[in-house]
Structures are given as C-alpha cells and as structure tokens.
Amino acid sequence: MSGEHASERIIGGYARGGTDLPADEVWALEAHLEACAVCRERLSAAVTAEAPAVASLVDTVWSELAPQLAATATMPPRRRWSVRLSAWLTPVMAPWLAMTAAVTLIALLLDMAGPGPIGPGTGTDSGSGSGGDVSLLLLLAPVLPVCGVAASWSRGLDPAYELTAAAPRAGLYLVLRRTASVLAVVVPALLAGGLVTGVTAVQWLLPCLAFTSATLALGGVIGVTRAAVALVAVWAAVVVAPTLAADRTTFALQTGGLPVWGLVLALGTAVVIARRGAYSVLAAHR
C-alpha cells in the first residue's frame, strides 16, 4: 500500500490471482477495496488488461444472470442503523446477551431479597471482609461479559464462523468490536443493579474489564470459548465457592485487590496486542 491507494504492483498481482503477493498484503488490499471506489476501478481495469480470460468469464456469467436478476424482486434496502448495528453484533449473540441480562436481574433480585450485601463500599463492612451477606451481583459481575464474548466468537455457535475468519477485517478488529458490544450491554445493567444494591462501580468494573482482557489474551492461545470456560471455572472454584461458604468478602473483591486487577488488565491488554495476529485464524474460534 502506498499513500491513500494501493500500488500498481499490488493491484496487478491481485488481478493475476494474488499468488505472488504475501498474505498480509492481500488482506490489506481486500479491506481497502471495501471503501475505495478508485482502487476498485483500477482493479477492474487491471483484470481486463492482465487476465482477459477472467474478464471474459465474468462477462459471460453476468450476461446470463442479468435477465434473471432483472425479473427477480429486489429486497427492500436495509436501514442505516441496522447496517451499522450488524457490524458490531451478530444474531447468535442476542440470546447470550439476553441470558446475561437475565442473570444480572436474578442476582439483583436475590440481593434485594436478602438482608443486604456486605462488602467494600457498602458502608457496613468497610472492606474488611469480616462477615455478612455477600452481594451475588458483585460475585457474578467479573464473569458476566465473558459469556457474551465467548458466544460472539464461538466456532460452534456461529454457523458462519469460516466466512467470518476469512473476511478481510476479521481478527483482532472484529474481536474488539464484538467485545465492546457485549460490554455496552453488560456494564449499564451492572451499573443499574449497583445503584439499587449499593455495590459501587469501583468494586466490579476493574475486575470485569480484567477478566475480559484475560479471556481474550488466553483465547489467542487455546481459543476464546475454551478460555472463557476455563476462567469461569477457576473463578467459581477459587472465589465464588469459598466466598459463599465463608459468607464473607474475599480479598479479590475488596478494595485492596484493585491494584492486582489493574495489573491483570494491563498484562491481558499487552498480550492481546502482542498476539493480535492469533485472532485471524480459525483456531481462535474454538
């Protein structure tokens, strides 16, 4: 790529089939062609000049399809907001996001039905973890986004996973978009629940972001879905079960543990950036 448009070498090589171009240049050109009409016209001219057999085949196919397309009723144009939304969300994510919102609501109702959560920021326990009821909302908040992230990048749940992984803008760009869409649903729900139960955002927001970044970081190695399942299982065994058994807030949920969560968030983000190419392969969908 040179300047704002693709170079003649890349355009010509792509017109000849792209076999003499590195894979990263091919992907960069395909992503650029989506938004650049000038380069699409240059590519069309290059195909006509350098691959006349391909141009002839396209013309033949188009001449046969044109009458059929003219006789076929066209679908109504999609609304602009629908097109923009589909770039961030996939249909397979909807049930999981609905489930996440339902779990948040159930945790909120259970907290309201109890005598009141004890923990840092509630004004009852002062972060000491000395006893009392523990907020279920606080326990579930760090792992709630992980379920949506796993669903949005799951090979088994997305029937179009191969097309998604082969798309020019697949990889970290798409993973971060879908992760942001999950957080955009989960975080407001947790904020609303926290206002009702007295659990402040500082208690769960940093662990929530840290857990999400750790899922993506580990997902570049073993797959996002497997990473989500593994981390949720670890959280349930190491934090949730002991907290409920002892009926006291553990260190992981206290204010003193926030620097540790900040370190996890920083490390997870660094790993995701360093291994950004790992999300462009089908293994990331496991």
Side-chain angles (χ1 to χ4, degrees), residues 6 17-18 29 47 65 67 80 83 86-87 95 105 124 128 138 145 162 181 191 205 254 256 274-275 279:
L29 176 62
V47 170
L65 285 178
R80 182 173 299 179
V83 175
S86 63
L105 179 60
T124 308
S128 63
L138 183 59
E162 291 181 343
S181 65
L191 282 173
L205 183 57
Q254 296 177 19
R275 291 182 50 83
Y279 305 94

Side-chain angles (χ1 to χ4, degrees), residues 68-93:
Q68 301 180 30
L69 294 176
T72 303
T74 58
M75 296 183 63
R78 299 175 64 184
R79 297 180 179 180
R80 182 173 299 179
W81 64 266
S82 177
V83 175
R84 292 180 178 177
L85 186 62
S86 63
W88 292 83
L89 296 171
T90 60
V92 72
M93 294 172 61

Side-chain angles (χ1 to χ4, degrees), residues 212-270:
T212 303
S213 68
T215 300
L216 295 181
L218 186 59
V221 180
I222 65 174
V224 177
T225 303
R226 293 179 180 178
V229 172
L231 290 179
V232 170
V234 170
W235 177 261
V238 176
V239 177
V240 176
T243 299
L244 294 178
D247 196 20
R248 64 180 60 193
T249 305
T250 62
F251 176 77
L253 298 175
Q254 296 177 19
T255 307
L258 292 180
V260 178
W261 287 115
L263 179 60
V264 173
L265 175 59
L267 290 176
T269 303

Side-chain angles (χ1 to χ4, degrees), residues 113-230:
I118 301 297
T122 61
T124 308
D125 188 48
S126 302
S128 63
S130 59
D133 294 331
V134 179
S135 171
L136 291 178
L137 192 69
L138 183 59
L139 280 177
L140 295 177
V143 297
L144 283 178
V146 173
C147 298
V149 171
S152 68
W153 201 244
S154 171
R155 177 173 182 169
L157 295 175
D158 189 357
Y161 71 91
E162 291 181 343
L163 295 176
T164 301
R169 293 194 179 186
L172 183 59
Y173 174 82
L174 186 58
V175 171
L176 293 181
R177 274 200 165 199
R178 293 185 175 182
T179 302
S181 65
V182 172
L183 292 174
V185 174
V186 174
V187 170
L190 291 175
L191 282 173
L195 291 176
V196 176
T197 60
V199 178
T200 59
V202 70
Q203 296 175 242
W204 56 262
L205 183 57
L206 192 57
C208 182
L209 297 178
F211 234 82
T212 303
S213 68
T215 300
L216 295 181
L218 186 59
V221 180
I222 65 174
V224 177
T225 303
R226 293 179 180 178
V229 172

